Amino acid sequence: MTESATVVQAVEATNAAGDVGEARSLGADAWRALRKKPLFWVSLVLITIFVLMAIWPSLFTNTDPDNAVLRQARERPNANAWFGRDIQGYDIYSRVVYGARASILVGVLTTTFTVLLGGAIGTLAAYAGGWVDALVSRVTDIFFAIPLLLGAILFMAATQPRGKPYFVIILLVVTAISILGWPSLARLMRSSVMQVLPNDYVQAARALGASPWRIIRKHIIPNAMGPLIVVSTINLGAYIAAEATLSFLGIGLQPPVISWGVSISDAIVGLRTTPHMLAFPSLFLSLTVLAFIMLGDAIRDAFDPKTR
Amino acid sequence: MTTTTQPGIRPANATGKITYTPVDGRLLDVEDLHVEFHTDDGIAKAINGVSFTLDQGESLAILGESGSGKSVTAQAIMGILDMPPAKIPHGAVKYCGVDLLTMPDDRRRWVRGAEIAMIFQDALSSLNPVFPVGWQIAEMFRQHRGMNKSDAQAQAVRLMERVAIPAAKERVKAYPHQFSGGMRQRIMIAMAIALDPAVLIADEPTTALDVTVQAQIMSLLQELQQERQMGLILITHDLGVVADVADRSVVMYAGRLVETANVYDLYRNPAHPYTRGLLESIPRLDQKGQTLAAIGGLPPNLLRIPPGCAFNPRCRMAKDVCRVDLPALREVASGRHSACHFAEEVIDA
Amino acid sequence: MGKYIIRRLLQMIPVIIGTTFLIFYMVFALPGDPTAGKCGERPCPAAYVAKYRAEHNLDDPMPIRYAKYVAKTATGDLGTNRYGVKVTEDLKKRYVVTGKLALMAVAVEVVIGIAAGILSGIRKGRFIDNLVLVSTLFVISIPVFVIGALCQYFLGVKWGLFPVTVSAKPTLYELFMPAFVLGSLSIAYVARLTRTNLVENLRADYVRTAIAKGLSRKRAVGLHALRNSMIPVITFVGFDFGGLLGGAIVTERIFNIQGIGGYIFRSIYNRDGVAVVGAVTALVIVYLLVNLLVDLLYGVLDPRISHD
């Protein structure tokens, strides 16, 4: 770091101390930086809309997504059907709204599972050390060696989702991506905990006789969670894209289930004649992925003083 | 990536175009230098009118706390400030009578390293981790003198031997992380003196080192300075370090000079309350059992330097006039200057 | 160095065994009768079923079946697919195609990604920087199969710049568009990673030293800062190779390329377990070897890493 940068930071530090008159925590500091970022708010608004769409699609449309008006099939966007109609005559707007549920569910559930699994395993490996670490790291390597998409395809093919109920298929997709998604988070958490462990406050807690569980819960997790949260926010978008890819390949969700991946898959065949069929589901899918990536980026930047 | 020099573009001896000769032994003339940093919160005035000179063979110490502007002064002389956020609204830095601040960068570049060289506080981060140290020293000869690879490498070995690196021939291909802190700083010094610069700026050269190594590095610097009749600028917050080496010293506070004196006078009889405070905060062996007197308070926020004397909020002697009138740097005894309304009282105290 | 390679190769053995078992288990745990549909409309004769089951050790428990499979694989025999063709024969032909595709994708990724990242990094905050940041975000958020379909339609069908599909023995020109599509996501990541690292290294002390040495800005940035910035980028490209191999399934499907990805996909559809396991195992081993190579390269690029 150059002297001028140091001066600028010193100025900011003394300035802030003078203004507020109290030492602010990193979290409060990050929140202050986050609040000023328009991208943070944009992504938050987008995510809120999509989550609402997933929970109460009827808030956004009164049209039944399963009501096929064959006479109007392939209609371009118009006042009646805002996004037009697809080859079956379904209202695309309504299907896009109802399709949010599958993507959001897969994204949120997969992220929850991978964070819990990867976080726990990574913490365990780093905290226990020794042979536990060696064993866990090798097991992580085994799962890590299978590319996510490839493994998910195998898993989906093995479990034969065709014809099963909606939530079962969703859970299968979630399981497929989770099984292959946790190792990268476990590695991340492991190295992050390794950095926290030598700190004085952890050693002090140990010296004071705190139980391992208490040390992990009170001292290690809060201080090592940062990178995990950032990366899994960004991953959430990637998981949604992976789900769509599985649907595109015909081994994820299947019609008659409504999902963006299925809609896009249907639309690609008719790209020439009905481009609007591809445009709207793709747009929504991309916006969702984008929103989570931007949110993750914004949080990371806020917590990293260097990029401010 | 350009790993090789491009023949033809660069003159074989770039400095040969212009030769700088000091007038009456005067190397540097810093005149009323101002530097400010444009930050999101406003303009931070890091340097507010600093003037001093440096002669051939002279060593000048710039003293002050961090944030006093001593390093920024050095970087302004070198021309390595990041602009923006830094800006030099006013002032001149004359090298052999030529103002460096108005010089086009393609000419000024040949001054850097060849005429005025600099070493930094943290040698580990200041050396490039992925290139061998010999390569980094040789780069000076390759780039400035257009020397070929093996000649430049031979020069690097010679310099490493000069700064007393054991087994220089073998270690020329080693990487920075393979050396100890003191050895790394020696390599930085070797790189800085490679082209026989007239001025050497050392910015806290020993701060990151062990006490015993500090002394070795300082004596190496002193030796090289006398051998080559360089002008040496020593920047430090540690008054103990410069005592043996520096001839003259200037004390900076909030981007201004508050006192200039020869080192002996400065130590024995400071003429500014700030200098006095700095001296009192050095632990001394002959005053065991006494509380160490630290200067109360913090250096001022450079965004809002207090009116009057910038030191007044921390000064034990401050009177009303200090909060209103900015004291000018004035001669208080022969060869001594102080920027304090009550300099005479400070000297007598 | 030699010792390190041997140690790493030895470490790879348990990982390969674990990974292949995982794949083996997923594929052969498939419910249903593997001989179903092998004899046309009618069920297979009992004698054929018995022979088939014995040949594939179907009556043994899973670990023993796996052990027998490994023993056979060790002799270089990956079995025969359901058409009676040796899997090794199939793979030999197809590996060339997928290898070409993946290497071209890496080339595209490295050249375009790094160039964009450098441009963006040295002009931080300017127009070109924002352009790179925004366009990479777009690429990241649009699913690869949508990008592929759009490229195919516009560049191939509409403007006729590139061939729409790829022949069985594809030329480099035929593979360019698929390689670009396959690498598109990685291009975006490489560009962002290059930018982040370059921006950080531009503020490093040694760059200040380079300037203080009187080097030109071009040399200080283009040699000193860039050399350091490339270390994480090259590591990323290596680890991302697995993602490329997984993504090849999608790309090969869109452009109808006769590579490993398409082979795996078709074999899954045909419930041809032997072929799937053979092909996936081959992919995973290549991926692991590439990772080893990247680790070794890392030691060359960063002298601070020692492989003793």
Side-chain angles (χ1 to χ4, degrees):
Chain A
M1 184 133 334
T2 60
E3 176 75 12
S4 43
T6 322
V7 167
V8 171
Q9 278 184 356
V11 166
E12 280 166 355
T14 49
N15 192 36
D19 286 345
V20 185
E22 59 186 303
R24 286 173 311 178
S25 71
L26 183 63
D29 230 24
W31 170 237
R32 199 178 79 119
L34 213 50
R35 261 188 333 203
K36 282 194 280 190
K37 291 209 166 199
L39 275 187
F40 168 70
W41 292 108
V42 170
S43 55
L44 213 60
V45 167
L46 279 175
I47 290 170
T48 313
I49 292 175
F50 289 127
V51 169
L52 279 178
M53 221 177 251
I55 303 173
W56 294 294
S58 49
L59 272 183
F60 295 83
T61 174
N62 292 321
T63 318
D64 178 5
D66 289 320
N67 178 24
V69 186
L70 259 178
R71 260 181 309 117
Q72 296 169 1
R74 298 199 174 89
E75 232 176 47
R76 293 293 164 109
N78 56 58
N80 212 350
W82 293 351
F83 292 177
R85 289 182 184 276
D86 68 7
I87 30 174
Q88 316 270 356
Y90 292 127
D91 178 57
I92 293 177
Y93 172 70
S94 155
R95 287 189 84 82
V96 162
V97 168
Y98 277 85
R101 181 171 291 169
S103 292
I104 296 288
L105 264 179
V106 168
V108 170
L109 288 179
T110 312
T111 304
T112 312
F113 287 148
T114 48
V115 165
L116 289 179
L117 201 62
I121 292 176
T123 310
L124 173 79
Y127 189 82
W131 65 270
V132 177
D133 184 22
L135 184 72
V136 169
S137 296
R138 282 295 90 72
V139 173
T140 314
D141 283 350
I142 288 172
F143 283 87
F144 201 75
I146 306 177
L148 183 107
L149 197 56
L150 188 61
I153 289 170
L154 283 185
F155 183 89
M156 292 310 292
T159 50
Q160 297 280 310
R162 203 172 284 275
K164 288 186 176 136
Y166 182 77
F167 279 103
V168 174
I169 305 179
I170 296 266
L171 274 182
L172 283 176
V173 173
V174 167
T175 315
I177 306 176
S178 300
I179 287 180
L180 296 144
W182 69 267
S184 59
L185 293 182
R187 279 190 177 182
L188 185 72
M189 191 63 181
R190 178 177 172 273
S191 65
S192 168
V193 171
M194 294 277 226
Q195 280 172 14
V196 170
L197 275 179
N199 280 332
D200 288 344
Y201 53 84
V202 177
Q203 299 307 323
R206 263 192 188 154
L208 288 170
S211 71
W213 172 235
R214 192 187 153 77
I215 294 175
I216 288 176
R217 207 163 35 105
K218 288 277 175 194
H219 298 287
I220 293 178
I221 301 226
N223 287 297
M225 275 299 274
L228 189 70
I229 290 174
V230 169
V231 170
S232 47
T233 312
I234 295 173
N235 275 356
L236 205 156
Y239 296 148
I240 289 178
E243 180 276 317
T245 309
L246 289 176
S247 296
F248 163 74
L249 291 174
I251 48 176
L253 299 168
Q254 316 275 335
V257 170
I258 304 167
S259 96
W260 294 336
V262 171
S263 301
I264 294 170
S265 181
D266 287 347
I268 279 178
V269 194
L271 181 57
R272 232 166 298 185
T273 48
T274 49
H276 61 285
M277 257 180 82
L278 178 66
F280 293 106
S282 305
L283 180 72
F284 274 60
L285 179 62
S286 300
L287 278 179
T288 314
V289 176
L290 192 65
F292 282 104
I293 293 175
M294 288 193 314
L295 183 69
D297 266 1
I299 296 176
R300 185 193 46 212
D301 287 354
F303 273 97
D304 184 0
K306 276 182 290 184
T307 56
R308 240 185 260 158
Chain B
M1 267 196 242
T2 51
T3 41
T4 51
T5 48
Q6 297 151 319
I9 292 181
R10 209 167 279 121
N13 182 354
T15 50
K17 284 190 294 189
I18 307 156
T19 43
Y20 298 91
T21 25
V23 185
D24 298 331
R26 176 64 44 91
L27 287 171
L28 268 182
D29 222 326
V30 177
E31 289 169 5
D32 197 24
L33 184 67
H34 287 73
V35 179
E36 48 193 39
F37 288 93
H38 292 242
T39 71
D40 291 343
D41 300 307
I43 297 171
K45 297 195 165 146
I47 311 281
N48 304 297
V50 161
S51 308
F52 61 84
T53 60
L54 181 75
D55 289 346
Q56 270 179 316
E58 185 188 27
S59 50
L60 171 75
I62 302 183
L63 299 164
E65 288 168 290
S66 48
S68 61
K70 52 195 194 318
S71 290
V72 176
T73 307
Q75 291 181 5
I77 296 171
M78 275 309 280
I80 54 171
L81 280 170
D82 292 330
M83 303 204 261
K87 214 178 148 182
I88 303 180
H90 190 72
V93 175
K94 288 184 180 154
Y95 173 68
C96 296
V98 188
D99 187 8
L100 296 176
L101 298 183
T102 54
M103 192 183 273
D105 197 63
D106 56 339
R107 264 176 63 197
R108 188 173 187 190
R109 168 151 97 80
W110 301 114
V111 176
R112 283 198 279 267
E115 302 286 327
I116 308 176
M118 183 160 176
I119 60 177
F120 302 95
Q121 174 177 338
D122 184 358
L124 179 59
S125 63
S126 299
L127 289 164
N128 195 324
V130 299
F131 295 116
V133 293
W135 186 94
Q136 295 188 54
I137 299 172
E139 194 181 23
M140 299 293 285
F141 296 99
R142 312 247 306 147
Q143 292 295 309
H144 282 271
R145 302 271 186 264
M147 209 178 262
N148 70 39
K149 213 171 171 178
S150 58
D151 288 352
Q153 190 82 353
Q155 292 291 334
V157 174
R158 177 184 63 86
L159 281 160
M160 282 169 71
E161 277 163 356
R162 176 64 198 85
V163 296
I165 287 171
K169 251 201 187 91
E170 289 80 58
R171 306 215 68 188
V172 70
K173 289 215 166 86
Y175 291 91
H177 71 276
Q178 293 167 321
F179 290 85
S180 68
M183 287 298 148
R184 278 197 287 266
Q185 195 57 284
R186 284 173 195 269
I187 286 160
M188 277 302 285
I189 293 171
M191 201 156 76
I193 60 164
L195 304 180
D196 263 318
V199 177
L200 179 62
I201 305 175
D203 186 356
E204 306 261 10
T206 61
T207 308
L209 303 174
D210 290 345
V211 181
T212 47
V213 183
Q214 282 187 4
Q216 291 167 11
I217 295 290
M218 285 316 293
S219 67
L220 174 66
L221 278 175
Q222 190 173 20
E223 200 184 302
L224 289 168
Q225 187 230 351
Q226 282 162 4
E227 173 187 302
R228 294 161 188 241
Q229 281 301 296
M230 286 187 294
L232 178 66
I233 297 181
L234 262 174
I235 293 166
T236 182
H237 66 276
D238 184 351
L239 282 74
V241 165
V242 294
D244 303 329
V245 182
D247 307 316
R248 215 150 47 84
S249 50
V250 300
V251 181
M252 285 189 75
Y253 188 79
R256 286 178 204 279
L257 298 189
V258 292
E259 180 168 359
T260 73
N262 70 51
V263 175
Y264 180 75
D265 286 338
L266 190 87
Y267 268 72
R268 224 190 43 168
N269 207 354
H272 194 283
Y274 175 63
T275 318
R276 177 170 293 271
L278 276 184
L279 287 169
E280 282 169 358
S281 63
I282 302 175
R284 283 166 58 166
L285 287 174
D286 56 343
Q287 289 175 348
K288 255 192 202 162
Q290 291 182 18
T291 319
L292 200 59
I295 308 176
L298 288 169
N301 180 346
L302 295 176
L303 288 168
R304 273 174 272 115
I305 297 173
C309 171
F311 188 59
N312 82 67
R314 304 170 73 187
C315 184
R316 273 173 293 175
M317 302 176 63
K319 305 237 163 52
D320 286 344
V321 60
C322 302
R323 292 178 195 104
V324 186
D325 277 352
L326 176 68
L329 191 68
R330 62 198 167 89
E331 187 154 21
V332 289
S334 103
R336 308 195 54 176
H337 295 76
S338 169
C340 177
H341 292 300
F342 306 102
E344 288 77 8
E345 289 172 39
V346 182
I347 293 184
D348 293 339
Chain C
M1 193 75 168
K3 256 189 192 163
Y4 176 80
I5 297 176
I6 291 170
R7 203 176 67 221
R8 280 295 308 264
L9 284 172
L10 288 177
Q11 270 178 359
M12 254 171 71
I13 292 172
V15 174
I16 290 178
I17 291 176
T19 308
T20 47
F21 180 71
L22 210 64
I23 296 165
F24 192 83
Y25 188 84
M26 273 203 269
V27 172
F28 287 109
L30 295 179
D33 180 4
T35 53
K38 285 205 123 184
C39 312
E41 295 295 310
R42 287 164 301 156
C44 288
Y48 176 82
V49 173
K51 182 173 165 270
Y52 185 89
R53 293 192 76 85
E55 212 170 89
H56 293 88
N57 311 311
L58 292 188
D59 297 317
D60 292 328
M62 197 53 93
I64 295 180
R65 272 172 72 186
Y66 174 70
K68 286 183 177 168
Y69 176 78
V70 171
K72 214 168 82 176
T73 306
T75 64
D77 182 5
L78 286 172
T80 55
N81 69 10
R82 62 181 295 155
Y83 304 111
V85 182
K86 274 186 172 307
V87 174
T88 40
E89 291 295 311
D90 274 346
L91 291 184
K92 244 183 238 161
K93 266 185 284 173
R94 287 158 179 274
Y95 236 100
V96 182
V97 178
T98 302
K100 249 191 206 169
L101 180 68
L103 286 179
M104 277 179 74
V106 169
V108 168
E109 166 187 347
V110 165
V111 172
I112 302 180
I114 292 179
I118 292 172
L119 222 58
S120 161
I122 55 178
R123 299 248 186 285
K124 189 183 172 224
R126 311 264 193 87
F127 173 74
I128 184 86
D129 182 28
N130 289 317
L131 184 76
V132 168
L133 286 179
V134 169
S135 55
T136 50
L137 256 190
F138 264 110
V139 172
I140 291 171
S141 64
I142 301 175
V144 173
F145 55 95
V146 174
I147 295 179
L150 290 176
C151 280
Q152 190 178 37
Y153 178 61
F154 284 106
L155 300 181
V157 177
K158 211 157 185 191
W159 302 329
L161 296 174
F162 294 99
V164 179
T165 53
V166 171
S167 59
K169 281 205 164 167
T171 59
L172 291 183
Y173 171 65
E174 279 179 316
L175 282 177
F176 183 78
M177 184 165 63
F180 182 81
V181 170
L182 177 58
S184 58
L185 189 66
S186 309
I187 293 175
Y189 280 123
V190 166
R192 297 189 136 231
L193 194 62
T194 306
R195 175 190 180 272
T196 310
N197 280 295
L198 188 59
V199 166
E200 197 157 298
N201 282 317
L202 284 179
R203 293 189 304 201
D205 284 347
Y206 60 80
V207 172
R208 182 185 61 184
T209 308
I211 300 283
K213 279 163 89 173
L215 306 183
S216 64
R217 200 174 151 68
K218 207 169 120 193
R219 191 176 170 90
V221 173
L223 181 62
H224 285 262
L226 197 61
R227 177 70 196 341
N228 282 276
S229 309
M230 281 303 99
I231 297 170
V233 173
I234 288 179
T235 318
F236 171 81
V237 171
F239 289 135
D240 185 54
F241 197 71
L244 284 187
L245 293 177
I249 296 182
V250 178
T251 317
E252 292 186 0
R253 189 168 150 81
I254 295 172
F255 295 99
N256 194 23
I257 299 169
Q258 312 288 315
I260 300 272
Y263 183 71
I264 291 174
F265 197 76
R266 221 189 46 211
S267 304
I268 288 176
Y269 256 73
N270 293 337
R271 309 186 44 71
D272 197 343
V274 180
V276 174
V277 172
V280 173
T281 305
L283 274 191
V284 166
I285 290 176
V286 168
Y287 176 48
L288 287 171
L289 286 174
V290 168
N291 272 1
L292 174 65
L293 210 68
V294 170
D295 266 6
L296 296 178
L297 197 62
Y298 195 77
V300 176
L301 284 176
D302 189 345
R304 285 163 295 184
I305 307 292
S306 89
H307 283 328
D308 303 330

